[in-house]
Amino acid sequence: MERFESQRDCRLSCGRYGAVWPMPTGPTISLSHSRVHFDPQQIRFNVSAPSEATRLFLHETRRLFVGNLRKECPRNCTVASGARIVIEATVNSESLVLDWRTHENYKLAISSTETGTLVAIQATTVYGARHALETVSNLVTGSVTSGLLLVSDVIISDRPYYAHRGLLLDTSRNFIPLRYVRRAIDGMAASKMNVLHWHVVDAESFPLEITRVPQLQLYGAYSSSHTYSRKQVLQLMQYARLRGIRIIIEIAGPAHANSGWQWGPDEGLDSLAVCLESSPWAPHCAASPCGQLNPVNDNMYAVLKAIFRQVAEMGAPEETIHMGGHGVHTSCWNGTEQIRQKMLSQGYDLSEESFRRLWAQFHQRNLLAWDEINRHAYPSLPEPKPVILWSSRLTDPDAIESYLSQERFIIQTLVNSHDSLNRLLLDRGYRLIVSTRNAWCLSDGFDGFGSEYHSWRRVYENEMPQCSDRRQVLGGEVCLWSESVDQNSLESRLWPRAGAAAERFWSNPKAMRAYQIERRFYRYRDRLLDRGIQAEAVTPRYCVLHEGMCEQYYYGD
């Protein structure tokens, strides 16, 4: 019978996946019940990488890895005669590109003898090597005396099931200081998530500095201290990239446009947005404050192009943009005399179909601007980059092919799990990012509109749509809108529930129920706490300490 120092020690290798979160996807996994006792400061690293840039990346990855290990030490990390541990990491590709085609696979082998322990990592890219070190940190826990314990012998092969494993963070309704955004990125890295979808502007505020159009922030930010400068955004993108995460910025439009767009008439640019003073707002907008961009004003497109240019310049050459597309009310445009007259002069009638065509032309014109910007900024790109839009009336399966190209537009669906939209769009060849409304909207239950809170079990058990061509389902995102969230509640709303979705995105576990993985999940939550992330409690501590005693409490007979 094996004897372990503590429950955490046991969990390192009890069960097929031990304490590894998310579960590995490869056919081979082997975890020994033996341990090695070590001091994290005594680990030696040997890195084999094909370029100076990849070696520098792995150097930073190593620093972050050791920092996380030190947080596992219950008292101090010093071990007078600890095991000799050598980590050898081999990366084959010199590419630092992080997109939907990036290889994030790795193989991990830990072998121990009387003379020491070898941790061998093989990965195609630096991002796979980063994930491997994250897995190694899951195979470590603090010793009850001092120092750390590591599973002595391990074999794991692993790769993500989905290329897009995202978190939408809204920092426009309530401003979120960047140190809290960085903490969210730390939680994502601990969960092997790889996309921060930054919903940085909305009708309520425009905190993003656009150097070519300073009026947007001047008129749109809550105050001069509630802003994100261009320099800060670049630093945040670097911070995320070193943790295997790309940042996709969303510029909401044509709806959700008010703060930051009011100044056009004062500067001779006519109305950049319309319906700004609508009262009552409900007939014209999805929410207050009301406002939609003016699709017949060329000056509005020039301002958008300046925004897109800065987004392109701040991001990596391969990065794309989210162009919004959610919440459009054509009644707003139909109630604006300037738009009505312009449409009639161009041969439109004022039917719902005509306004949808106007809406589609808005996105097509912005796509052309995005393409032009990227051709000039990154002439070596092999092909135009697709952009992302929310599902809407424009993505109705019976009409979408008349409005939006399969090759150029990726659709992020925000519908309930029983809705047929995902299946119908996949049947028509569209690529999807899935955000299931009744499972992965983490702000639900707090918004004051009677929405239902989604427990981590609901988040975990929500399944992705299936498709014969797996490449069409790029992956999924959990969403945290900030109507009722600021830095004081951010972490408890996100964690550990976002991590439950992270295993769905990485592993796509088949026929796996929450009760089958809850012990690993409890350990994952404790790991977040050790790293300083204030993840909410999901069960009485008794249930964590007394495994198997609470199933009836949660699941009945």
Side-chain angles (χ1 to χ4, degrees), residues 108-243:
L108 169 65
I110 302 177
S111 55
S112 299
T113 65
E114 293 181 357
T115 59
T117 296
L118 174 65
V119 179
I121 293 169
Q122 291 184 317
T124 302
T125 67
V126 293
Y127 305 109
R130 194 223 73 86
H131 297 324
L133 288 174
E134 192 65 56
T135 296
V136 174
S137 73
N138 293 184
L139 300 168
V140 170
T141 194
S143 173
V144 295
T145 55
S146 62
L148 297 171
L149 301 174
L150 169 70
V151 179
S152 63
D153 295 275
V154 174
I155 298 175
I156 293 176
S157 58
D158 201 7
R159 69 177 63 236
Y161 193 92
Y162 293 107
H164 188 109
R165 307 180 302 280
L167 163 65
L168 179 149
L169 182 60
D170 170 14
T171 64
S172 57
R173 270 83 177 212
N174 276 309
F175 181 82
I176 307 292
L178 282 173
R179 65 181 180 275
Y180 295 95
V181 179
R182 288 192 291 269
R183 291 259 289 269
I185 290 171
D186 292 341
M188 294 175 66
S191 315
K192 299 190 177 82
M193 301 174 84
N194 68 348
V195 179
L196 176 64
H197 172 174
W198 194 4
H199 188 88
V200 65
V201 300
D202 209 289
E204 289 81 357
S205 78
F206 199 114
L208 181 65
E209 179 191 31
I210 304 298
T211 54
R212 294 178 176 88
V213 194
Q215 297 95 327
L216 291 163
Q217 188 185 68
L218 179 65
Y219 285 83
Y222 286 131
S223 76
S224 60
S225 62
H226 292 81
T227 59
Y228 306 110
S229 71
R230 178 190 177 110
K231 181 179 179 181
Q232 288 174 322
V233 173
L234 288 168
Q235 291 171 340
L236 187 70
M237 288 184 166
Q238 182 180 24
Y239 186 94
R241 183 60 66 104
L242 289 172
R243 290 154 179 80

Side-chain angles (χ1 to χ4, degrees), residues 367-380:
L367 180 66
L368 291 174
W370 178 249
D371 287 346
E372 179 187 340
I373 290 165
N374 282 278
R375 278 196 305 270
H376 285 92
Y378 308 112
S380 62

Side-chain angles (χ1 to χ4, degrees), residues 16-17 23-29 106 155-160 506:
R16 181 180 179 190
Y17 302 105
M23 69 171 67
T25 61
T28 303
I29 181 167
Y106 67 89
I155 298 175
I156 293 176
S157 58
D158 201 7
R159 69 177 63 236
W506 180 277

Side-chain angles (χ1 to χ4, degrees), residues 5 36-40 70 72-83 141-150:
E5 281 193 7
V36 292
H37 192 200
F38 73 102
D39 181 336
R70 290 181 61 83
E72 290 284 335
C73 297
R75 295 175 182 83
N76 69 77
C77 287
T78 303
V79 178
S81 56
T141 194
S143 173
V144 295
T145 55
S146 62
L148 297 171
L149 301 174
L150 169 70

Side-chain angles (χ1 to χ4, degrees), residues 237-252:
M237 288 184 166
Q238 182 180 24
Y239 186 94
R241 183 60 66 104
L242 289 172
R243 290 154 179 80
I245 295 163
R246 54 195 287 214
I247 295 180
I248 298 179
I249 290 178
E250 178 182 351
I251 303 299

